[in-house]
Amino acid sequence: ITGGAVNIYHNGSTKLTTTATGIDVTGTATMDGLTVSDGTETTSIPATADRLSFTGASLNYIQSAGSLFVQPTGDLVLNGSGAEIMRLKSGSVGIGTTSPASTISGSAAVLHLYDGTNNNLASLALQAGTVGSKWEIGALSSNALGFFDDGSEAMRIDSSGNVGIGGTSTARLTV
């Protein structure tokens, strides 16, 4: 066939049509892999369908309600509502920043940690290395702020401003 469109039908309905720029498929296309290329950049879904592969120098992304971008620099960027939410860059996480200065960097007025398991302690743990003493600062269910050394409570400040050191009872501390 020369110079015209070709149509393929199934049960009287057009399922595949050739056009001047390619093909149009109506319905579901089942194949053992898919590669789309403009000769410079390629996007492919291999037959195993466990990954989406981009090979190009430009910005690569997956978009739905939000977007997940793989930047040419290797940064992984999560966008939502048209704005960047989080960035993974060279092993660091940036929240509200495009250039994380440390392993976890953020730009926010409040960092909110909550107890998702309802065990009455939401805490921030600080540990030097993998074998050093671990200190935690935690919000207790009694509306107190607790300080813990390797899981043992070392100090607390209750909602009245009273302080307890070495135990759970508190008293007014005057310095």
Side-chain angles (χ1 to χ4, degrees):
I1 299 174
T2 305
V6 173
N7 294 316
I8 298 177
Y9 297 87
H10 178 75
N11 288 340
S13 298
T14 304
K15 295 298 179 182
L16 187 132
T17 301
T18 62
T19 67
T21 58
I23 62 169
D24 288 334
V25 177
T26 302
T28 302
T30 304
M31 57 199 80
D32 61 1
L34 173 66
T35 300
V36 179
S37 178
D38 65 1
T40 304
E41 297 183 3
T42 302
T43 302
S44 63
I45 302 172
T48 57
D50 64 350
R51 71 182 83 33
L52 180 60
S53 174
F54 299 100
T55 56
S58 66
L59 181 67
N60 300 299
Y61 65 95
I62 301 168
Q63 186 169 356
S64 60
S67 299
L68 180 63
F69 294 91
V70 180
Q71 305 228 318
T73 58
D75 294 3
L76 183 63
V77 178
L78 178 64
N79 279 16
S81 301
E84 184 171 316
I85 296 171
M86 182 174 69
R87 176 180 296 252
L88 301 174
K89 181 183 187 83
S90 303
S92 296
V93 177
I95 300 171
T97 177
T98 59
S99 301
S102 59
T103 304
I104 298 178
S105 294
S107 174
V110 175
L111 173 61
H112 185 115
L113 303 174
Y114 68 96
D115 175 16
T117 60
N118 201 24
N119 65 3
N120 300 321
L121 174 67
S123 67
L124 174 64
L126 308 169
Q127 183 170 1
T130 57
V131 294
S133 180
K134 180 176 75 172
W135 280 89
E136 290 180 78
I137 302 169
L140 306 172
S141 62
S142 60
N143 291 329
L145 179 63
F147 296 82
F148 301 85
D149 178 18
D150 283 331
S152 297
E153 187 172 336
M155 184 175 88
R156 78 168 44 200
I157 303 170
D158 69 17
S159 59
S160 299
N162 295 327
V163 176
I165 299 174
T168 57
S169 62
T170 60
R172 176 67 51 199
L173 179 64
T174 305
V175 181

